[in-house]
């Protein structure tokens, strides 16, 4: 395993945008924990969920638990993602621990469904803002990244395994009902985190194969203002006519979720038999990604 030896980028740590994102994220996490989850013994996944569970069983202050349990992951994060990330995450952990210790927030509701949905959404949004600031609010993602390099499982599988164990413990300690609601809280959190961290305009790669490729190229570029890439390919090879084939253009364009449906509808009008498939991508940069003109 190669350790990241990059120096600390203090300019990035103290950049105003990152500070604001981190403060907003921590505020939402504290509201979710104190206003919804902890008073009703609801768990999230990861280190925060484990801290809630241990807090309810042992009555050790939650702020101390979330800081102590996250500290070991900072050393992994420093080696894997760099010193700047570790410092930013340490600041986040300290803010969460301090806020949970010294800030008093009354429970917002005792309705279990509202707690699961709004508590999960708030903590997910908070973690999303923290991620966008360049830090982490929970060490489980760092642990998952490190573990995948050791045992070959992907990040989702590692996180799922850890959280499954956590929710089984919750079922044993708090009852099946609370554990099931905690799972709803967790899924609300990860969906909210996804929207905040990746944005509502998460980029999608759209692939189109059509006999009317020239008209579709013009549509995407001229009407929607998107860039395209064209790969030369072959189509055919059907089970009843395997040896029949024709040359074709495979048109690839990167669009947002908001643009995807409109482009698919327009393509279908041009060629109802066009073959399209999409791939969700984590990040895209450069080229023509945004078109600010009105269609």
């Amino acid at each position: 395993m190669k350790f990241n030896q990059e120096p600390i980028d203090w300019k990035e740590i103290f950049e105003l945008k990152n500070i604001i994102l981190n403060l907003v994220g921590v505020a939402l996490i504290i509201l979710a924990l104190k206003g919804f989850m902890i008073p009703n013994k609801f768990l999230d996944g990861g280190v925060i969920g484990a801290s809630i569970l241990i807090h309810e069983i042992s009555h050790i202050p939650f702020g101390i638990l979330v800081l102590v349990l996250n500290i070991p992951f900072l050393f992994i994060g420093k080696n894997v993602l760099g010193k700047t990330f570790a410092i930013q995450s340490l600041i986040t952990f300290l803010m969460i621990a301090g806020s949970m210790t010294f800030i008093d927030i009354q429970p917002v509701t005792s309705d279990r469904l509202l707690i699961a949905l709004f508590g999960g959404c708030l903590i997910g949004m908070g973690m999303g803002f923290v991620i966008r600031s360049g830090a982490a609010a929970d060490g489980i993602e760092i642990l998952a990244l490190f573990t995948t390099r050791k045992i070959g499982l992907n990040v989702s599988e590692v996180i799922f395994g850890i959280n499954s164990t956590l929710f089984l413990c919750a079922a044993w300690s708090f009852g099946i009902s609370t554990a099931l609601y905690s799972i709803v809280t967790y899924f609300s959190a990860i969906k909210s985190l996804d929207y905040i961290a990746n944005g509502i305009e998460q980029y999608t790669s759209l692939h189109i194969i059509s006999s009317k490729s020239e008209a579709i190229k013009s549509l995407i570029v001229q009407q929607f203002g998107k860039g395209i890439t064209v790969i030369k390919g072959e189509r055919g090879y059907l089970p009843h006519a395997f040896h029949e084939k024709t040359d074709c253009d495979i048109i690839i364009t990167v669009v947002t979720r908001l643009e995807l449906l409109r482009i698919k509808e327009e393509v279908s009008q041009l060629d109802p038999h066009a073959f399209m498939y999409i791939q969700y991508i984590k990040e895209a940069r450069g080229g023509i990604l945004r078109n600010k003109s009105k269609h």
Side-chain angles (χ1 to χ4, degrees):
M1 177 177 179
K2 294 182 179 180
F3 290 164
N4 192 319
Q5 299 297 333
E6 293 181 1
I8 299 173
D9 187 348
W10 293 106
K11 183 178 179 181
E12 180 179 344
I13 292 173
F14 292 109
E15 185 178 348
L16 181 60
K17 181 190 76 171
N18 291 338
I19 293 173
I20 293 173
L21 287 171
N22 211 335
L23 288 173
V24 171
V26 170
L28 291 173
I29 290 170
I30 300 306
L31 176 59
L33 291 172
K34 284 211 159 188
F36 291 88
M37 296 168 63
I38 291 180
N40 297 282
K41 300 181 180 179
F42 273 44
L43 273 65
D44 183 34
V47 173
I48 287 180
S51 299
I52 296 174
L53 182 63
I54 297 172
H55 166 71
E56 293 297 333
I57 295 173
S58 65
H59 303 294
I60 298 173
F62 175 85
I64 295 175
L65 286 170
V66 78
L67 180 61
V68 170
L69 293 180
N70 270 311
I71 288 296
F73 301 119
L74 287 177
F75 294 97
I76 300 174
K78 177 176 73 69
N79 291 330
V80 176
L81 299 171
K83 296 176 182 178
T84 303
F85 168 81
I87 294 294
Q88 287 177 297
S89 298
L90 175 60
I91 293 171
T92 303
F93 297 156
L94 288 170
M95 287 196 296
I96 292 174
S99 299
M100 290 299 298
T101 303
F102 299 110
I103 295 178
D104 184 35
I105 298 176
Q106 296 300 313
V108 175
T109 180
S110 59
D111 185 288
R112 289 191 160 195
L113 184 58
L114 292 178
I115 295 165
L117 295 177
F118 283 92
C121 286
L122 286 170
I123 198 168
M125 290 170 61
M127 289 184 174
F129 281 118
V130 170
I131 288 173
R132 295 194 71 150
S133 77
D138 195 298
I140 189 172
E141 287 84 5
I142 305 171
L143 175 64
L145 178 60
F146 177 78
T147 306
T148 56
R149 300 187 179 189
K150 294 295 184 181
I151 63 178
L153 298 175
N154 64 41
V155 173
S156 298
E157 291 168 337
V158 174
I159 292 176
F160 178 77
I162 295 170
N163 287 334
S164 295
T165 303
L166 181 63
F167 291 129
L168 285 174
C169 294
W172 179 269
S173 303
F174 304 144
I176 293 293
S177 178
T178 299
L180 292 176
Y181 274 114
S182 294
I183 293 173
V184 176
T185 304
Y186 171 68
F187 280 104
S188 298
I190 60 175
K191 291 303 293 182
S192 299
L193 189 155
D194 176 61
Y195 273 100
I196 296 299
N198 296 315
I200 192 171
E201 293 189 334
Q202 182 180 18
Y203 291 114
T204 300
S205 176
L206 174 62
H207 298 65
I208 306 167
I209 301 174
S210 168
S211 59
K212 299 180 179 179
S213 58
E214 293 303 320
I216 292 173
K217 293 175 192 176
S218 178
L219 168 75
I220 295 172
V221 175
Q222 300 298 332
Q223 182 171 331
F224 288 93
K226 309 300 295 184
I228 62 172
T229 298
V230 178
I231 299 176
K232 300 298 182 180
E234 294 179 343
R235 63 186 305 179
Y237 301 103
L238 299 174
H240 59 276
F242 179 77
H243 297 290
E244 294 182 9
K245 60 183 180 181
T246 57
D247 294 335
C248 70
D249 288 340
I250 303 171
I251 304 167
I252 304 172
T253 184
V254 176
V255 299
T256 67
R257 291 174 177 174
L258 301 178
E259 296 167 323
L260 179 61
L261 181 60
R262 292 184 59 213
I263 292 178
K264 287 170 61 179
E265 289 177 346
E266 294 285 348
V267 169
S268 295
Q269 289 180 10
L270 281 175
D271 182 5
H273 302 291
F275 176 71
M276 293 180 277
Y277 67 95
I278 61 176
Q279 292 178 311
Y280 295 105
I281 53 182
K282 288 293 183 182
E283 182 178 355
R285 64 180 61 188
I288 303 174
L289 289 176
R290 294 179 182 272
N291 179 28
K292 296 182 180 180
S293 63
K294 295 181 180 179
H295 303 313

